[in-house]
């Protein structure tokens, strides 16, 4: 802390001492008999009408920063019990007692031995006692009082650590607030003017001003231009004592920066520019740059460029580079020196972010003219087309002309052009080219089915400058000629399910032809020079497919497994070609699962690995039911026999059953001739159809013997004779003879025959296909049932 000068402090100290004494005497000091007390005790009693106080203390005052050599007098303690004979002794305790503050024990005078600083400690709390010096007994109760340190102006105003930084937009109006400074004073703000601060500007005029009371810095000059001056250093002073003479002061520096606004339009340095661009410049590449200057910063200086004339905008384009605010010129179309040697561009630059406050300074655009000179470059030959597509028929003779390419020198010299086919694009040397005319010819016979398209690359070069070359792709399409007969597109083997029915589609055939499908529709048929096939027929669907249809009911793999069926197919080309394909059809048991693809199943029956638990339960349940039926039947027969009489009357007309113990020849015996023929002659027609379904070899032999037709009505004896003759001539039956006789009741009954012979025909009507739907476990069961039907019909 800087000590004030003596000339300044002396008048102040005198005034403060006078005020302090007066104030202390009238309001604070109540000590009777003190030196500065002017009114007698009786007068005070009469004026206030209250009892006399002899030992009450409030506070004393002492000036800070005492610079005298003698201790500073503070005040006096006095008790009414003190007669002045030294019998009363005064004691002092509390803050600073004995060190800072000393008391005369006899007189009660208090002095300060040190200079005090209010800013460190503003007051002290002490306690006073009055005791009898002889008996050491208290004459008064202990009293507390305060010594308050009186403030003097010994601290100058202070600013925060600087320098301070502020900014304001350029071109701001007068009085625009920029920044507020605040100074602090450690002196007592409640006493005098020691802490009353006034602000003033020492440096920065006439651009800025400061409010004396608030410290707010404002602009004082209109239209301050950042482009003219950007930085300002302003010095602000703060002075206490309300700015009066003798007050203390402090200062700080504020760095004020003018921020940019868009108050400057762009401008091209020149009104005319010239640019050289060779005609070989690539499309889409930059060919030049141009820039318009703008004194503003940031987005205020950003601009867009445009070409305003249509001729220039058709060939060139321009875009802005935000980093350096340049206009980059790009080439949109190829240049040709021989067609046009110069272009003129009218270019305009304009700000993108405008400030309406400064629109009166505009317009914020500028324009210039750019002349582009096209440079001549020796260019390679140019083909008349970007690519060529040619065609030639297959099987054409060597030397057939395919087509021609054409190229010319675009330069004014118009040099001659030579052609050749690049190596690698014609590895198999299918084509050659005439070096002068560009005509392409075949060098080999072409096959469309081998290679339908050929890609080659033709190169053209100037005769005077072989280094200048250009290339063009040429695609040669080989056109189709009907030189391949069609084939049946089917697997080597076709599956025929044993459960097939007449009219059922076995497989759908499709045609495959190496030639182009444009040769026409395919047609299918069976060979006309072969007899009619009794097992299968062919249906042309007239949509380039054909269906093989079964002609008989069921097939037996045990009887015949493989069938051969020739199919003739024709194409629609010119000339039409045909071929005969022989299909192999295999009879087998088919699975009918979720898939529609026919597959042959294994012959294993009821194998433990192939039956599910449900299937086994179903089979066991069926067996149980059959056993129950047998047991019930036997039981009923036994009861019936018990009821029948033991002696049968001879007059009882019943069927006589002749039994004899003859085992016969077994299966061979039953197969000696067709037993079904002995049944109702009405079933003969169906029998005839089933017999046609036998293997082809048997059918030929059967046709050779010319069996007689079956009678619909007639004598049974004649019918049996015919069958015996057929059996004798049939070489496929075993060499056994047997005689079987049956009674034929005829067809006269209106209710029909009750004989079991009429219930079954040569071909059973029972359909066992439902067993196929139960799963692979029942396939063998279905096969056995069908074989049983075949055995019965045989």
């Amino acid at each position: 802390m800087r000590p004030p000068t003596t000339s300044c402090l002396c008048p102040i100290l005198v005034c403060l001492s006078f005020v302090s004494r007066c104030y202390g005497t009238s309001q604070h000091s109540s000590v009777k008999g003190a030196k500065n007390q002017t009114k007698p005790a009786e007068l005070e009693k009469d004026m206030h009408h209250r009892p006399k106080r002899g030992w009450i203390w409030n506070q004393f005052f002492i000036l800070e920063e005492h610079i005298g050599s003698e201790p500073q007098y503070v005040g006096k303690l006095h008790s009414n019990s003190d007669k002045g004979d030294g019998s009363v002794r005064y004691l002092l305790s509390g803050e600073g007692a004995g060190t800072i503050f000393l008391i005369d024990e006899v007189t009660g005078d208090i002095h300060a031995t040190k200079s005090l600083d209010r800013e460190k400690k503003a007051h002290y709390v002490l306690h006073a006692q009055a005791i009898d010096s002889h008996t050491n007994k208290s004459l008064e109760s202990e009293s507390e009082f305060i010594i308050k340190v009186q403030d003097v102006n010994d601290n100058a105003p202070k600013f925060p650590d600087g320098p301070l930084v502020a900014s304001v937009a350029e071109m701001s109006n007068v009085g625009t607030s920029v920044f507020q400074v605040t100074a602090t004073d450690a002196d007592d703000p409640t006493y005098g003017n020691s802490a009353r601060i006034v602000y003033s500007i020492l440096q920065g005029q006439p651009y800025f001003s400061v409010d004396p009371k608030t410290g707010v810095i404002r602009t004082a000059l209109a239209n301050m231009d950042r482009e003219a001056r950007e930085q300002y250093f302003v010095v602000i002073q703060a002075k206490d004592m309300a700015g009066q003479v003798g007050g203390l002061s402090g200062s700080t520096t504020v760095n004020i920066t003018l921020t940019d606004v868009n108050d400057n339009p762009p401008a091209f340095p020149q009104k005319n520019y010239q640019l050289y661009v060779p005609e070989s410049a690539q499309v889409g590449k930059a060919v030049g740059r141009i820039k318009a200057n703008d004194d503003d910063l940031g987005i205020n200086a950003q601009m867009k460029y445009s070409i305003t004339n249509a001729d220039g905008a058709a060939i060139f384009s321009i875009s802005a580079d935000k980093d350096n605010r340049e206009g980059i010129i790009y080439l949109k179309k190829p240049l040709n020196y021989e067609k046009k040697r110069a272009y003129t561009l009218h270019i305009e630059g304009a700000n993108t972010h405008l400030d309406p406050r400064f629109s009166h300074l505009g317009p914020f655009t500028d324009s210039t003219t750019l002349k582009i000179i096209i440079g001549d470059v020796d260019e390679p030959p140019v083909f008349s087309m970007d690519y060529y597509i040619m065609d030639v028929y297959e099987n054409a003779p060597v030397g057939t002309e395919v087509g021609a390419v054409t190229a010319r020198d675009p330069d004014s010299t118009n040099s001659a052009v030579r052609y050749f086919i690049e190596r690698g694009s014609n590895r198999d040397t299918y084509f050659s080219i005439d070096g002068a005319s560009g005509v392409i010819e075949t060098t080999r016979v072409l096959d469309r089915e081998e290679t339908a398209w050929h890609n080659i690359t033709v190169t053209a070069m100037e005769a005077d400058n072989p280094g200048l070359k250009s290339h063009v792709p040429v695609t040669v399409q080989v056109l189709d000629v009907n030189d391949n007969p069609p084939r049946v597109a089917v697997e080597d083997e076709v599956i025929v399910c044993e459960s097939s029915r007449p009219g059922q589609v076995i497989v759908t055939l499709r045609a495959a032809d190496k030639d182009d499908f444009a040769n026409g529709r395919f047609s299918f048929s069976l060979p006309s020079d072969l007899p009619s096939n009794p097992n299968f027929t062919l249906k042309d669907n007239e949509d380039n497919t054909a269906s093989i249809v079964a002609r008989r009911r069921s097939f037996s793999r045990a009887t015949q497994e493989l069938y051969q069926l020739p199919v003739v197919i024709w194409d629609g080309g010119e000339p039409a070609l045909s071929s005969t394909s022989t299909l192999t059809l295999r009879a087998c048991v088919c699975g009918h699962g979720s898939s529609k693809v026919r597959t042959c199943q294994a012959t294993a029956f009821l194998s433990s690995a192939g039956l599910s638990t449900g299937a086994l339960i179903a089979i066991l349940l069926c067996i149980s039911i059959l056993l129950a039926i047998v047991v019930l039947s036997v039981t009923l027969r036994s009861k019936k026999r018990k009821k029948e009489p033991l002696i049968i009357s001879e007059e009882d007309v019943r069927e006589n059953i002749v039994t004899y113990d003859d085992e016969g020849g077994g299966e061979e015996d039953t197969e000696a001739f067709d037993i079904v023929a002995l049944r109702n002659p009405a079933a003969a027609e169906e029998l005839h159809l089933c017999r046609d379904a036998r293997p082809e070899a048997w059918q030929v032999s059967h046709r050779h013997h010319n069996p007689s037709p079956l009678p619909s009505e007639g004598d049974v004896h004649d019918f049996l004779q015919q069958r015996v003759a057929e059996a004798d001539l049939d070489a496929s039956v075993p060499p056994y003879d047997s005689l079987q006789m049956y009674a034929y009741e005829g067809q006269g009954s209106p209710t029909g025959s009750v004989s079991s012979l009429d219930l079954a025909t040569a071909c059973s009507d029972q359909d066992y296909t439902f067993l196929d739907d139960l799963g692979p476990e029942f396939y063998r069961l279905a096969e056995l049932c069908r074989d049983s039907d075949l055995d019965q019909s045989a």
Side-chain angles (χ1 to χ4, degrees):
M1 184 181 297
R2 183 178 62 184
T5 59
T6 305
S7 61
C8 294
L9 288 178
C10 287
I12 297 173
L13 291 176
V14 172
C15 294
L16 290 176
S17 298
F18 178 78
V19 173
S20 176
R21 295 301 175 88
C22 294
Y23 182 81
T25 302
S26 61
Q27 304 223 4
H28 301 287
S29 181
S30 303
V31 182
K32 237 179 162 180
K35 278 172 70 178
N36 56 355
Q37 187 168 352
T38 58
K39 295 183 180 181
E42 294 80 7
L43 182 58
E44 182 179 359
K45 178 179 179 182
D46 295 339
M47 292 177 61
H48 298 283
H49 304 286
R50 60 185 178 181
K52 178 175 62 176
R53 295 177 297 172
W55 187 252
I56 298 176
W57 312 94
N58 286 326
Q59 63 183 4
F60 294 113
F61 293 91
I62 181 173
L63 289 174
E64 67 170 334
E65 304 295 345
H66 176 66
I67 60 175
S69 60
E70 297 295 331
Q72 185 179 4
Y73 179 75
V74 178
K76 184 179 182 64
L77 300 178
H78 184 71
S79 175
N80 292 338
S81 302
D82 188 1
K83 304 300 183 182
D85 55 1
S87 60
V88 177
R89 186 158 61 92
Y90 298 96
L91 299 179
L92 187 65
S93 63
E95 296 177 343
T99 56
I100 299 176
F101 303 103
L102 299 178
I103 188 172
D104 189 329
E105 294 183 352
V106 177
T107 62
D109 293 329
I110 301 173
H111 292 81
T113 61
K114 296 181 179 179
S115 176
L116 303 179
D117 188 356
R118 188 200 67 84
E119 284 71 39
K120 293 182 179 180
K121 191 170 180 62
H123 65 276
Y124 296 85
V125 179
L126 295 98
H127 299 83
Q129 287 181 312
I131 62 173
D132 190 334
S133 60
H134 300 291
T135 62
N136 288 332
K137 293 183 178 180
S138 297
L139 299 177
E140 304 284 354
S141 59
E142 184 176 308
S143 178
E144 182 181 273
F145 65 95
I146 297 174
I147 299 177
K148 187 175 182 180
V149 182
Q150 201 78 33
D151 182 50
V152 296
N153 189 19
D154 59 344
N155 290 280
K158 290 185 178 180
F159 288 96
D161 294 338
L164 304 177
V165 178
S167 63
V168 65
E170 64 172 329
M171 310 299 289
S172 296
N173 297 329
V174 175
T176 301
S177 177
V178 179
F179 192 74
Q180 183 178 14
V181 295
T182 303
T184 58
D185 195 321
D187 292 326
D188 189 359
T190 62
Y191 179 76
N193 294 327
S194 299
R196 184 179 177 185
I197 299 174
V198 175
Y199 299 95
S200 62
I201 184 168
L202 301 181
Q203 180 181 334
Q205 295 176 333
Y207 306 104
F208 300 95
S209 63
V210 65
D211 189 294
K213 294 181 179 181
T214 62
V216 175
I217 302 174
R218 302 179 185 275
T219 58
L221 189 64
N223 299 327
M224 286 190 294
D225 191 3
R226 184 200 65 83
E227 288 73 30
R229 182 178 177 182
E230 185 176 7
Q231 296 286 338
Y232 294 86
F233 299 96
V234 180
V235 179
I236 303 298
Q237 181 189 59
K239 189 174 183 181
D240 59 12
M241 297 299 292
Q244 298 177 4
V245 178
L248 304 179
S249 64
S251 63
T252 186
T253 300
V254 181
N255 295 333
I256 301 176
T257 302
L258 296 182
T259 58
D260 184 61
V261 296
N262 191 11
D263 59 340
N264 293 279
F268 287 99
Q270 300 175 208
K271 291 301 179 182
N272 293 284
Y273 293 89
Q274 186 170 307
L275 178 66
Y276 173 82
V277 178
E279 63 174 337
S280 59
Q282 297 182 7
V283 175
K285 298 295 184 179
V287 296
R289 294 173 178 263
I290 194 170
K291 182 178 181 181
N293 296 329
D294 194 326
D295 294 333
D296 295 324
L297 300 175
I299 63 172
N300 296 320
Q302 289 182 4
M303 65 184 67
K304 62 179 179 180
Y305 295 90
S306 60
I307 300 175
T308 58
N309 60 317
D311 295 341
I315 306 299
F316 299 92
S317 64
I318 188 169
S319 62
D321 185 355
K322 294 183 179 180
D323 295 334
N324 49 24
R325 296 179 294 175
E326 290 182 335
I328 305 175
I329 302 171
Y330 294 93
L331 182 62
K332 294 173 60 177
K333 295 182 179 181
L335 300 175
N336 192 331
Y337 173 81
E338 287 71 28
K339 291 184 178 180
K340 192 168 184 177
R341 302 185 179 186
Y343 293 89
T344 300
L345 307 182
H346 299 292
I347 300 176
E348 182 183 83
N351 285 140
T352 57
H353 296 80
L354 302 179
D355 193 333
R357 297 177 299 171
F358 309 105
S359 58
H360 61 282
L361 301 176
F364 287 83
T365 61
D366 194 19
S367 59
T368 187
T369 300
L370 174 63
K371 185 176 182 180
I372 297 180
I373 306 300
I374 308 302
D376 185 21
V377 176
D378 193 4
E379 301 173 89
V382 178
F383 284 95
S384 60
M385 300 176 63
D386 295 335
Y387 59 91
Y388 292 85
I389 298 179
M390 305 176 182
D391 54 64
V392 62
Y393 281 99
E394 64 176 328
N395 302 328
V398 176
T400 300
E401 181 178 338
V402 178
V405 297
T406 304
R408 65 176 183 82
D409 183 11
D411 298 323
S412 56
T413 56
N414 196 16
S415 301
V417 177
R418 303 291 296 176
Y419 305 94
F420 63 90
I421 297 177
E422 285 191 355
R423 295 181 180 178
S425 65
N426 190 24
R427 291 188 295 269
D428 297 332
T429 63
Y430 287 100
F431 306 96
S432 63
I433 189 171
D434 186 276
S437 63
V439 175
I440 300 175
E441 298 178 349
T442 60
T443 58
R444 295 172 55 181
V445 176
L446 303 179
D447 186 1
R448 190 200 68 87
E449 288 70 39
E450 178 182 350
T451 305
W453 294 85
H454 295 269
N455 296 313
I456 61 177
T457 301
V458 176
T459 301
M461 66 179 182
E462 294 184 10
D464 298 337
N465 189 358
L468 295 177
K469 300 178 181 180
S470 58
H471 312 276
V472 68
V474 178
T475 300
V476 180
Q477 179 184 9
V478 181
L479 302 179
D480 184 46
V481 174
N482 192 20
D483 58 348
N484 291 278
R487 301 290 180 182
V488 175
V490 71
E491 299 179 356
D492 295 339
E493 195 172 82
V494 178
I495 302 300
V496 180
C497 297
E498 290 187 343
S499 59
S500 299
R501 304 180 185 89
Q504 180 177 348
V505 176
I506 303 300
V507 69
T508 299
L509 304 180
R510 298 184 182 276
D513 195 335
K514 293 182 180 180
D515 292 324
D516 195 343
F517 183 74
N519 282 326
R521 189 182 67 83
F522 299 103
S523 58
F524 302 81
S525 66
L526 295 178
S528 59
D529 57 343
L530 296 179
S532 175
N533 193 303
N535 301 302
F536 307 99
T537 184
L538 184 69
K539 176 184 178 183
D540 193 341
N541 298 324
E542 298 182 356
D543 60 352
N544 292 329
T545 64
S547 300
I548 296 178
V549 182
R551 298 187 62 181
R552 53 177 282 192
R553 181 183 182 88
S554 73
F555 294 82
S556 176
R557 179 176 51 181
T559 303
Q560 182 176 350
E561 183 178 4
L562 298 178
Y563 298 87
Q564 302 292 329
L565 182 65
V567 176
V568 181
I569 180 171
W570 294 79
D571 63 16
E574 292 293 338
L577 300 179
S578 65
S579 66
T580 302
S581 300
T582 301
L583 302 181
T584 301
L585 296 90
R586 178 183 297 274
C588 65
V589 178
C590 297
H592 294 274
S594 59
S595 176
K596 294 184 178 180
V597 179
R598 297 180 179 180
T599 56
C600 288
Q601 300 298 322
T603 58
F605 177 63
L606 297 181
S607 62
S608 59
L611 281 178
S612 63
T613 303
L616 290 175
I617 293 174
I619 293 174
L620 293 176
L621 182 61
C622 293
I623 294 174
S624 301
I625 294 173
L626 293 176
L627 289 177
I629 294 173
V630 172
V631 172
L632 181 61
S633 176
V634 172
T635 303
L636 294 176
R637 287 184 179 181
S638 63
K639 290 182 179 181
K640 185 175 181 181
R641 288 176 181 176
K642 290 180 181 181
K643 294 181 180 180
E644 291 178 353
L646 297 176
I647 301 175
I648 302 175
S649 176
E650 295 180 355
E651 297 178 356
D652 189 6
V653 180
R654 298 188 181 182
E655 293 183 357
N656 295 326
I657 301 176
V658 180
T659 61
Y660 54 91
D661 188 11
D662 186 5
E663 297 182 355
E667 295 180 357
E668 293 80 357
D669 191 17
T670 60
E671 293 179 357
F673 60 89
D674 194 350
I675 303 176
V676 182
L678 299 178
R679 297 178 182 174
N680 190 345
E685 183 179 357
E686 186 175 359
L687 173 64
H688 178 70
L689 295 176
C690 294
R691 293 173 62 86
D692 288 344
R694 292 188 178 185
E696 284 79 352
W698 184 89
Q699 292 177 3
V700 173
S701 174
H702 192 67
R703 293 193 188 100
H704 179 72
H705 291 87
N706 295 322
S708 60
L710 293 174
S712 59
E713 297 289 342
D715 185 53
V716 177
H717 180 267
D718 296 337
F719 177 74
L720 291 177
Q721 292 298 326
Q722 294 177 3
R723 291 304 180 191
V724 169
E726 291 179 3
D728 292 340
L729 297 177
D730 192 352
S732 62
V733 299
Y736 296 103
D737 291 331
S738 63
L739 179 61
Q740 298 181 7
M741 299 178 65
Y742 296 88
Y744 174 58
E745 298 178 358
Q747 297 178 339
S749 175
T751 59
S753 176
V754 296
S755 174
S756 60
L757 297 177
D758 196 29
L759 297 179
T761 60
C763 292
S764 177
D765 293 336
Q766 180 65 37
D767 189 0
Y768 297 98
T769 56
F770 71 95
L771 293 175
D772 295 335
D773 299 333
L774 298 179
E777 298 85 355
F778 292 91
Y779 293 161
R780 182 54 182 171
L781 182 58
E783 181 180 0
L784 292 177
C785 292
R786 297 190 187 96
D787 292 343
S788 177
D789 285 349
L790 294 176
D791 293 341
Q792 292 177 6
S793 62

